[in-house]
Every structure is written in structure tokens, then in C-alpha cells.
Amino acid sequence: MNTSRPALTLTLALALTGLTVVAVAQGLPKLAQKKVYKVGFAQTESNNPWRIAQTKSMQDEAKRLGHQLVYTDAAGSAAKQVSDVDSMIAQRVDAIFLAPREEKPLAAAVKKARAAGIPVILLDRNVDQKLAKAGTDYVTFIGSDFIEEGRRVGNWLAKNKKGEARIIQLLGTTGSSPANDRRKGFEDAIKGKAGMRILASQTGDFARDKGRQVMETLLQANPTVNVVYAHNDEMAIGAIAALEAAGKKPGKDVMVLSIDGGREIVKLLVDGKVNYVVECNPKFGPKAFETLKNYAAGKPIPAKIINPDREFTSANAKSLLASAY
């Protein structure tokens, strides 16, 4: 049982690579070194292949290492996820892996865990940095650079779209870090580029059917659309269904761009219905538990640990299909 409490001081060490500043875990709850940990994993939802792959990776790695994983599924509710973290605190887990549903509500949960002497590692989504910070309130964020993901999509579009781009943007969950950052990265990339125009942006909540419904509505209001940028594969696949129902050819009449890189969307790219995909790797298990081990050993942990993400194009999709999750 972890009974330690946060220390009062925080020291900073300079990483050996470049000028990256790394937080040393003296201002955070300590984690004793031992063979078996009781670790919480507060998942945000399990309604899509990406989340299912992430959960499986965490469960598989915990099992391989012999750790006890206390798993919860917030079913898309920030309020339930806060309650899930409260339950883990009550169970006195040694540490918590948290994939925050939304940035603001879960920042308070992170600080509550810290006050209880339980270190938190954020996975794939961040919390509001005005409310909670790495090295002070939580150990680190492990995940993709969401701004860079959006920027890569925008840059690819600016380079490859001939003529005017009339864009519908399907946003992720309102208030979530990937939705905020993928929008910023994309919009920054196309800002000032000739012929780039966003007709409409609306949330599809990272869900396939909602993405389809929103696309149907936006398509009626914006029949001249020729580019769809979806913040994840599920919404992109929903948008493809809406386009086909309206008699349009996705990938030809309307470019389809996505982020995540699951096998289903990569197969659609091979089939010519999708034009470009940036990967967001869901296999967090090995890196998450390696980071936990390093933290317990007192090693410096970067404030952010960025996963490498590939891109899928018409040139490489077929060869990379088997390796997509």
C-alpha cells in the first residue's frame, strides 16, 4: 500500500539530450520499488477500436509483468471518470494511469490523487495545464503530439490539393485535448494558404454514428464541400457513409483525411476512399509500465513522452496495412 505523501520541494534536472528540462519526482508522491504493483487504469470509454486496442495493450503488459490492474471504463462520462479515480484512491492503488475524458474536470481528480499520495501518469489525453502540471501534480503525459498530428494533415492537404479546398471539419469531443489540439494544428497549418476555406466545424464526439449524422447535416448545408477532415477514424468512417448515401465518391469527389490509423481506415485508403491518415498509436502498455518502473527507481521523467506516429498514404498503405492496429 502506498502511504507516502507529496514532498514540499520540486527540483529540476537538465536532460542529457538537447535542452529538454525534466522534472525529477521530488515534488510528487513517492513510489516504492517492488515486484508487484496494484495499479489503476481509468479508461475514458470503450466504444471504438482505438480505445479497445489501448485497453488490451495495458492489460496485456500488466499481466506479463504480474501486476494487478484495477480497470474502470467511464463510458464517455467525465463525471463517472472522476468517480472512478475517487474509487481508486479509496482502494489505495499504488499509482494511477489516467486517460482523461476532458481537460478541466479531470485536472481536479489528478490533484486529489496527488494529495492522497498516489502518483498519476496521463495517457493519450492531457489535462488543463492552467489547473495541473507535470512534475508537480502528475508525473508525465505519455501520448502523441496532437498539434503536430493536425499540422501534418493540414500541410499534406496544402501540398496535395489542387484548386480550392472547401473543408468540413469533424471535431472530437468538446473540451478534450486531442480535439483542441488537432483543430489548432490543422487550422494553423492552412492559415493564409490560398484557396483553403473551412465551411463548417462541428463535433462528432469521436463516434462513428454521430460523425455520420453530423456529416449528413453539414453536407446538406454545404453541398460544395470537397474535403472532410475528421479528428479520428470513427468519424471519418461515418462521414464516408454519409457521402456515399448522398451519391458522392469519397476519396475522389471529396477528399477524406483522418487521424488514428486503425486497420479499417487504412484498408479504406487502400481502396481509394480515404486520402491521408496520420497514425495515433494506441499501444501504450510497454511504455506506460516502463515509465512507472523508472519513476519508482527515482529516474528523471520528462514532462511529456511523445509516441512516434507514422503516416499512411496511397503509396504505403498496402504495405503497412498488416501492422495497423
Side-chain angles (χ1 to χ4, degrees):
M1 181 168 67
N2 180 4
T3 58
S4 62
R5 290 295 181 267
L8 296 177
T9 61
L10 175 68
T11 64
L12 293 176
L14 199 62
L16 295 177
T17 55
L19 297 175
T20 305
V21 175
V22 177
V24 179
Q26 293 186 14
L28 291 165
K30 302 291 186 182
L31 181 63
Q33 288 184 281
K34 53 185 182 179
K35 290 184 178 181
V36 177
Y37 290 106
K38 180 181 179 181
V39 185
F41 174 38
Q43 179 61 283
T44 181
E45 60 201 3
S46 297
N47 64 350
N48 62 72
W50 196 96
R51 288 289 162 194
I52 293 168
Q54 184 191 40
T55 296
K56 185 177 187 303
S57 178
M58 293 294 292
Q59 292 172 333
D60 287 351
E61 189 67 6
K63 183 178 180 180
R64 187 184 75 81
L65 296 170
H67 298 319
Q68 179 186 353
L69 191 69
V70 178
Y71 170 72
T72 59
D73 178 359
S77 167
K80 183 180 184 304
Q81 195 171 40
V82 170
S83 177
D84 291 341
V85 173
D86 286 343
S87 176
M88 290 175 183
I89 293 171
Q91 294 179 63
R92 299 303 304 168
V93 297
D94 294 306
I96 295 173
F97 292 116
L98 171 64
R101 166 70 179 173
E102 295 173 21
E103 288 189 341
K104 292 183 185 296
L106 274 303
V110 164
K111 297 180 85 167
K112 189 171 182 180
R114 177 189 182 277
I118 300 172
V120 176
I121 294 174
L122 302 183
L123 303 181
D124 87 82
R125 292 187 183 184
N126 218 322
V127 293
D128 191 321
Q129 297 299 288
K130 297 184 183 71
L131 302 176
K133 294 186 180 299
T136 302
D137 301 302
Y138 61 91
V139 177
T140 187
F141 162 83
I142 303 174
S144 296
D145 184 335
F146 299 133
I147 291 178
E148 179 60 20
E149 288 175 343
R151 184 181 296 118
R152 288 169 73 179
V153 175
N155 287 339
W156 184 92
L157 179 63
K159 182 179 179 181
N160 290 276
K161 182 72 177 82
K162 308 304 179 186
E164 187 179 26
R166 299 178 295 276
I167 307 159
I168 284 178
Q169 181 176 202
L170 297 178
L171 308 173
T173 300
T174 302
S176 69
S177 56
N180 294 341
D181 292 352
R182 287 171 182 172
R183 180 176 193 170
K184 175 176 172 52
F186 178 77
E187 292 181 358
D188 285 352
I190 66 169
K191 186 177 181 180
K193 297 287 197 311
M196 296 283 161
R197 183 161 58 99
I198 296 176
L199 303 177
S201 297
Q202 187 171 324
T203 181
D205 206 23
F206 286 129
R208 184 176 302 201
D209 195 52
K210 188 167 182 182
R212 178 188 59 79
Q213 294 173 22
V214 170
M215 188 63 205
E216 286 176 351
T217 301
L218 295 179
L219 187 56
Q220 290 175 4
N222 302 277
T224 64
V225 59
N226 61 5
V227 177
V228 173
Y229 164 46
H231 285 189
N232 79 335
D233 292 350
E234 289 296 292
M235 294 188 297
I237 293 168
I240 287 170
L243 289 167
E244 290 180 331
K248 294 183 181 290
K249 294 180 180 179
K252 296 181 176 61
D253 298 334
V254 181
M255 277 187 166
V256 178
L257 318 174
S258 180
I259 297 172
D260 269 356
R263 191 165 300 179
E264 186 175 2
I265 202 83
V266 178
K267 179 62 166 62
L268 288 168
L269 206 163
V270 172
D271 294 340
K273 294 184 178 184
V274 174
N275 303 87
Y276 180 72
V277 179
V278 173
E279 181 183 53
C280 185
N281 193 330
K283 297 175 182 177
F284 280 74
K287 180 60 69 175
F289 283 98
E290 178 191 10
T291 302
L292 187 74
K293 180 181 178 180
N294 289 340
Y295 179 73
K299 295 181 180 180
I301 307 296
K304 286 186 177 182
I305 298 172
I306 301 301
N307 291 333
D309 293 322
R310 301 174 295 180
E311 65 178 6
F312 300 95
T313 68
S314 58
N316 68 9
K318 190 172 182 179
S319 64
L320 294 178
L321 178 60
S323 65
Y325 70 86

